[in-house]
Amino acid sequence: MILKKITIALLFSVSVFAQKQARIVEDFNKNWNFKLGDYPEAVNANFSTADWRTLQLPHDWSIEGAFDKDSKTKQAQGFLPAGKGWYRKTFTVPANWKKKTVSVEFDGVFKNSEVFINGHSLGMRPNGYISFAYELSQFLNFGKQNIIAVKVDNDAQPNSRWYTGSGIYRNVRLVASEKLHVAKWGTYVTTPEVSKDKATIHLEVIINNENASVKEFKLVTSIVNADNVEVANTTSTEKIGAKTSAKKIHNLALNQPKLWNTENPYLYKVITKIYEKSKLIDNYETPLGFRYFNFDAEKGFSLNGVPTKILGVCLHHDNGALGAVENIHALRRKLTLLKEMGCNAIRMAHNPHSLEMMKLCDEMGFIVQDEFTDVWKKKKVTNDYHKDWDAWHKQDLEDFIKRDRNYPSVMMWSIGNEIREQFDSTGIAITRELAQIVKSLDKTRPVTSALTENVIEKNFIYQSGALDLLGFNYKHEDYKDFPVKFKGQKIIASESVSALETRGHYDFPDGIKAWPTKHGAAFDGNADWTVSAYDQVKSYWGATHEENWKTIKKQDFMAGTFIWTGVDYIGEPDPYPYPARSSYFGIIDLAGLPKDVYYMYQSEWTKKPVLHILPHWNWQKDQEVDVWAYYNNADEVELFLNGKSLGKKAKQNDDLHISWQVKYEPGTLKAVSRKDGKVVLEKEIHTAGEASRIDLKADKVTLKNDTYDLVYVTVSIVDKDGNLLPNANDLINFEVTGGGKLVGVDNGYQANLDSFKANSCKLFNGKCIAIIQSNGKKKDIQLKASTGDNVSVGMVTIKVD
Ligand code: GAL
């Protein structure tokens, strides 16, 4: 790599590169006190928190509560409680921080937070999804004790169409920098030219000088590659007035950059450093990836010049049994599953997600549609964001864009989902205003909005002319007309499908069923609130997974699709009433266990050989059973029951599965896929016999001793040959000893009213999960699972290091 270094920079950098850190960033999650209710006196130093809980953030109090049919949050939020709560923490800062600027950064507090330091209010923030920071310096007692108190008010309900959680549910950091420093979200990196041969890098840095004097300094930009090796740098000598902010610009170039794509998400970093004389004053990191992309009205989307269908899913922010508690390990688990399914894109429904989520999308290679909101001025539910719109939307949108505009994974800004103003002329001005705010901060990505109305005269967001990319939700039958109707426009299916399934539950297909033709109408469903896992039940506005994908895959102009949803989420259990409390739309259930349709996508969206058969093989003798197979990379599949061939089948035309009707007899059902007469894959399922033991499968062997790391253990009951009992519903009791604690249990059943925080969980269709978190002790963890009857106890050991 040839690096252009200015001579003075070379001399300079030798002496100073040894210093790496000037800015101090501390984890501020530990040792908070918490109590439900309203305690305005808690801002005072002499207030006693003796009867408050001590906990580690991130924390969500809603998930700890009981499901209540009469909950103010209602069904859309999963019948869990909300209310008010206070957090309070005592901390000291070193005396020598007196000369520094000290800030507290919150990645998200749901909602209406107000933060107090030593009795002074620092400000309030209604929006629960926005990341924000406050400077504390002028109110701090240096070298002495300080009290920070946070009021959280999530009482006005209902305020959302899905589960939000309540509390300080994302990370908090304390940041100390010198008075001369890079501002919060103060960098903006773009890559005006990118090719395999060369990339140019344009960096804008906002520098704050809070000193009472003019400052001269050196601004150093280094580009480091994924191995932390510097590959380009530049230095400038700068001057900034007292008590002021200034924008500084650096331009760099790099030969043969490694490009970021969804298979090889190669990442660089921009390291910004400020030096006064030769002393490092501040250091700041910005993510960087080299990629170029294009949306085309005829050819759809391309990434780095390669035509690429956006194979996306929408996700809400909750982490299942953990509630809204943000945890990078929980996120990585679900994103890994989605990646293995062939998914290459995530739509952040319908609000800013966490920093960890953004970071993982960068690292794991997901294209992101980053979304601002579900509501503008016109409400969807009584107490939603429309109440804060006038006072806050500008600042919220600006902060959101500034926070996320450096992530290379972000390729679209959605200014809203299914916004009501689509349908009236006020939508025109608001769309233009929002698009202009976005463009003033980032012109490198298209502005889109997820629209439902595709009749031009009725859609005022469209009529504003301010969208670069048209997002359409549902109505896949209409897509074929779009190239003519929206001639020259770039289009993406911003939301599709909304089919419903319960993992492991099978009603034999009798054709595609749509649920009610209007909200609230009776659903001809099952008495136990399950929905068949055959891809046959869809919402009246949606499509089955197969219907949607068959359409999208044939339409080149369509940039791609975002399936509603990748994973079940708490709330919106439509079409069922209480006790259903979580959604049925996921390709993966709430516990993170794939439903069968996962393998349809895997067979279509990946190149790896797939052969999946459903259902399980424990039925009544002579019962007619529909057997489906999802497969790829093969010409045909042959099915055998107890060694006897039931015939070969192959997908015809645009089929996405094949099926047989089989008269059940116990034994072994085996599928064999072949290409050119050669076996590609074989898959067997067996009738499970008597319960023999509890099977525990941990998703990792070693847990980090850091109080955050998680291990997910999948629990099932198997027979003596290891076959899963597909109907087992035993109550499993858990005991955890050593360096971990149980932080959540779930079985993915949408109508399960047992607490996610219990020490036990009922198997549902044979499975459940236990989530264990490091408790900080460096001791191996033992999880003991027992049913209390004659099934032997299951044990698993997880090493802690
Ligand atoms: C969409 C909406 C989503 C979700 C979904 C359920 O119209 O954008 O947030 O409610 O319906 O099918």
Side-chain angles (χ1 to χ4, degrees):
M1 193 78 42
I2 302 165
L3 305 178
K4 274 195 269 164
K5 282 192 183 170
I6 309 164
T7 345
I8 50 157
L10 187 66
L11 283 172
F12 177 70
S13 61
V14 172
S15 60
V16 295
F17 264 121
Q19 280 169 273
K20 289 227 158 86
Q21 298 281 314
R23 175 177 287 239
I24 300 161
V25 180
E26 285 181 359
D27 175 331
F28 206 53
N29 287 333
K30 305 215 163 124
N31 291 316
W32 285 78
N33 293 115
F34 167 75
K35 197 168 176 190
L36 270 179
D38 197 7
Y39 307 95
E41 333 76 66
V43 304
N44 301 322
N46 56 5
F47 181 84
S48 166
T49 51
D51 63 341
W52 289 31
R53 270 167 73 189
T54 303
L55 50 76
Q56 171 180 302
L57 305 175
H59 170 245
D60 167 13
W61 78 69
S62 295
I63 202 69
E64 297 168 348
F67 298 101
D68 174 4
K69 192 169 188 239
D70 302 318
S71 162
K72 287 202 297 181
T73 60
K74 304 215 165 138
Q75 176 176 38
Q77 284 155 270
F79 303 105
L80 285 167
K84 293 182 188 172
W86 278 73
Y87 296 83
R88 191 175 186 272
K89 176 180 162 100
T90 306
F91 66 106
T92 51
V93 290
N96 65 7
W97 280 19
K98 196 160 189 158
K99 289 196 187 127
K100 293 184 188 286
T101 297
V102 185
S103 306
V104 59
E105 298 186 346
F106 290 88
D107 290 347
V109 183
F110 210 94
K111 62 179 277 189
N112 291 315
S113 63
E114 183 166 7
V115 181
F116 300 86
I117 183 76
N118 297 328
H120 304 275
S121 172
L122 294 167
M124 57 96 55
R125 197 74 188 217
N127 189 320
Y129 300 113
I130 289 288
S131 303
F132 58 91
Y134 297 114
E135 204 199 308
L136 313 172
S137 321
Q138 58 173 313
F139 306 113
L140 283 175
N141 304 315
F142 295 94
K144 295 196 198 118
Q145 185 175 286
N146 296 280
I147 309 282
I148 185 167
V150 182
K151 173 187 177 182
V152 184
D153 183 352
N154 193 20
D155 204 34
Q157 295 292 340
N159 65 19
S160 176
R161 298 190 303 109
W162 57 87
Y163 176 77
T164 62
S166 307
I168 309 180
Y169 70 105
R170 291 184 186 158
N171 290 307
V172 185
R173 288 170 300 277
L174 198 64
V175 179
S177 52
E178 299 298 318
K179 298 270 177 224
L180 180 67
H181 59 256
V182 176
K184 167 99 177 140
W185 317 128
T187 57
Y188 177 39
V189 65
T190 53
T191 51
E193 282 170 58
V194 179
S195 73
K196 282 201 307 273
D197 304 324
K198 190 182 167 190
T200 55
I201 301 142
H202 176 82
L203 180 74
E204 298 179 5
V205 188
I206 306 291
I207 310 275
N208 290 345
N209 179 20
E210 289 169 5
N211 294 290
S213 56
V214 173
K215 287 284 171 187
E216 280 184 17
F217 62 96
K218 288 209 161 58
L219 183 67
V220 180
T221 300
S222 311
I223 308 297
V224 298
N225 68 14
D227 299 318
N228 270 321
V229 175
E230 189 186 24
V231 293
N233 73 17
T234 190
T235 299
S236 59
T237 302
E238 308 283 356
K239 199 173 184 175
I240 186 169
K243 302 266 176 208
T244 184
S245 285
K247 188 199 277 184
K248 307 290 175 191
I249 291 178
H250 274 177
N251 287 300
L252 300 92
L254 176 66
N255 290 328
Q256 275 101 44
K258 286 203 176 122
L259 301 192
W260 184 100
N261 63 38
T262 57
E263 272 129 46
N264 241 317
Y266 194 91
L267 289 174
Y268 293 80
K269 268 185 274 194
V270 183
I271 314 275
T272 303
K273 288 184 174 175
I274 296 175
Y275 291 93
E276 251 190 292
K277 309 246 166 38
S278 56
K279 187 166 180 264
L280 180 66
I281 298 292
D282 197 16
N283 57 290
Y284 192 93
E285 225 175 82
T286 308
L288 172 66
F290 297 106
R291 83 285 183 270
Y292 57 97
F293 60 88
N294 186 43
F295 288 89
D296 184 276
E298 280 156 29
K299 293 189 228 139
F301 180 76
S302 65
L303 181 59
N304 302 329
V306 181
T308 304
K309 201 69 149 181
I310 293 180
L311 308 173
V313 299
C314 304
L315 288 180
H316 270 314
H317 67 291
D318 73 83
N319 281 317
L322 303 180
V325 164
E326 200 45 292
N327 185 295
I328 195 163
H329 309 286
L331 294 174
R332 190 176 284 118
R333 172 176 180 253
K334 64 183 164 196
L335 291 177
T336 302
L337 272 166
L338 290 167
K339 195 85 209 183
E340 284 167 4
M341 183 180 92
C343 169
N344 66 12
I346 307 289
R347 171 169 175 238
M348 304 294 170
H350 295 303
N351 44 259
H353 283 222
S354 66
L355 296 182
E356 288 70 29
M357 184 67 173
M358 304 310 293
K359 198 168 127 85
L360 285 177
C361 287
D362 267 10
E363 286 174 14
M364 297 175 73
F366 288 98
I367 295 162
V368 170
Q369 177 170 137
D370 220 0
E371 190 154 77
F372 176 48
T373 181
D374 192 46
V375 201
W376 294 351
K377 269 173 103 82
K378 293 204 159 165
K379 69 174 177 197
K380 287 186 180 164
V381 294
T382 321
N383 291 298
D384 65 20
Y385 189 53
H386 81 281
K387 291 206 153 169
D388 303 310
W389 181 261
D390 285 340
W392 285 96
H393 74 273
K394 185 164 185 295
Q395 167 135 28
D396 285 345
L397 180 57
E398 285 176 358
D399 287 355
F400 163 56
I401 304 288
K402 282 189 198 161
R403 193 197 76 166
D404 286 1
R405 64 186 171 171
N406 294 317
Y407 295 110
S409 54
V410 176
M411 298 193 196
M412 291 154 263
W413 297 118
S414 165
I415 52 174
N417 173 60
E418 300 191 348
I419 294 297
R420 293 279 190 256
E421 283 85 346
Q422 258 175 115
F423 308 107
D424 77 68
S425 57
T426 62
I428 295 185
I430 304 177
T431 310
R432 288 183 185 153
E433 183 211 347
L434 301 183
Q436 186 278 325
I437 294 173
V438 176
K439 298 278 175 187
S440 71
L441 295 166
D442 181 49
K443 293 191 181 60
T444 70
R445 290 131 172 136
V447 172
T448 188
S449 182
L451 309 171
T452 44
E453 182 57 76
N454 67 44
V455 174
I456 290 178
E457 306 72 54
K458 289 193 191 160
N459 190 326
F460 293 89
I461 293 185
Y462 172 74
Q463 287 179 41
S464 74
L467 299 183
D468 307 306
L469 171 69
L470 305 182
F472 284 106
N473 289 6
Y474 306 98
K475 303 183 184 156
H476 67 288
E477 303 91 344
D478 296 353
Y479 296 167
K480 59 181 183 325
D481 305 328
F482 286 4
V484 172
K485 189 167 171 181
F486 299 104
K487 197 165 168 41
Q489 299 280 354
K490 302 155 183 183
I491 302 177
I492 189 160
S494 35
E495 192 174 312
S496 43
V497 180
S498 278
L500 303 95
E501 286 97 15
T502 297
R503 173 190 52 78
H505 177 84
Y506 304 98
D507 298 328
F508 297 125
D510 50 6
I512 306 293
K513 274 202 237 167
W515 58 277
T517 45
K518 64 179 183 357
H519 261 107
F523 173 52
D524 177 21
N526 295 329
D528 60 356
W529 305 283
T530 53
V531 179
S532 178
Y534 291 100
D535 178 17
Q536 65 171 3
V537 183
K538 61 179 177 179
S539 56
Y540 68 86
W541 56 88
T544 65
H545 293 276
E546 293 194 7
E547 286 171 344
N548 177 64
W549 177 236
K550 279 180 195 175
T551 311
I552 303 275
K553 75 186 275 196
K554 283 188 281 212
Q555 289 168 336
D556 288 345
F557 69 90
M558 187 59 87
T561 184
F562 287 100
I563 313 300
W564 190 267
T565 48
V567 185
D568 282 347
Y569 49 96
I570 305 172
E572 210 176 32
D574 302 10
Y576 287 120
Y578 184 89
R581 49 69 169 149
S582 55
S583 78
Y584 292 76
F585 299 119
I587 299 168
I588 297 169
D589 79 9
L590 195 68
L593 306 170
K595 303 178 187 175
D596 293 287
V597 77
Y598 177 94
Y599 300 95
M600 186 282 281
Y601 286 109
Q602 197 174 48
S603 70
E604 285 285 302
W605 288 5
T606 74
K607 294 200 167 66
K608 62 187 163 208
V610 172
L611 175 61
H612 176 80
I613 43 176
L614 60 148
H616 55 74
W617 211 240
N618 276 61
W619 300 100
Q620 301 296 321
K621 181 119 179 69
D622 293 335
Q623 189 174 352
E624 294 288 338
V625 179
D626 284 291
V627 175
W628 284 26
Y630 296 121
Y631 72 95
N632 62 7
N633 301 2
D635 310 319
E636 59 176 33
V637 176
E638 187 167 5
L639 191 69
F640 299 88
L641 179 56
N642 294 329
K644 189 173 153 249
S645 175
L646 302 180
K648 295 174 185 169
K649 296 222 169 171
K651 291 187 260 195
Q652 306 296 322
N653 307 317
D654 58 0
D655 285 351
L656 295 173
H657 74 269
I658 45 174
S659 63
W660 293 259
Q661 211 179 41
V662 179
K663 188 173 269 203
Y664 175 76
E665 59 182 64
T668 298
L669 190 70
K670 176 176 170 178
V672 180
S673 64
R674 297 192 191 90
K675 187 167 180 69
D676 300 327
K678 286 206 194 103
V679 173
V680 178
L681 285 176
E682 290 187 353
K683 185 80 193 272
E684 280 185 10
I685 46 175
H686 306 272
T687 304
E690 293 285 293
S692 163
R693 64 182 170 83
I694 298 177
D695 185 57
L696 300 175
K697 283 198 175 56
D699 71 343
K700 50 175 89 144
V701 275
T702 318
L703 200 71
K704 257 214 188 117
N705 164 38
D706 66 356
T707 72
Y708 294 108
D709 201 359
L710 299 176
V711 54
Y712 283 76
V713 183
T714 304
V715 184
S716 58
I717 293 186
V718 295
D719 68 9
K720 65 178 181 12
D721 301 318
N723 298 307
L724 172 91
L725 270 66
N727 300 314
N729 58 3
D730 305 61
L731 182 73
I732 309 283
N733 299 301
F734 296 111
E735 267 174 61
V736 183
T737 51
K741 58 177 183 188
L742 192 64
V743 289
V745 295
D746 189 14
N747 60 17
Y749 176 37
Q750 289 102 342
N752 179 10
L753 294 180
D754 299 332
S755 171
F756 291 117
K757 295 285 171 191
N759 289 322
S760 59
C761 189
K762 264 184 132 186
L763 297 175
F764 175 70
N765 291 334
K767 292 185 184 173
C768 73
I769 60 155
I771 313 170
I772 299 168
Q773 183 164 47
S774 151
N775 64 9
K777 289 189 202 136
K778 203 169 171 183
K779 265 177 128 182
D780 288 355
I781 295 167
Q782 286 233 312
L783 170 68
K784 184 173 147 192
S786 57
T787 54
D789 59 17
N790 55 1
V791 175
S792 58
V793 171
M795 289 281 240
V796 66
T797 304
I798 299 121
K799 288 209 131 337
V800 174
D801 72 3

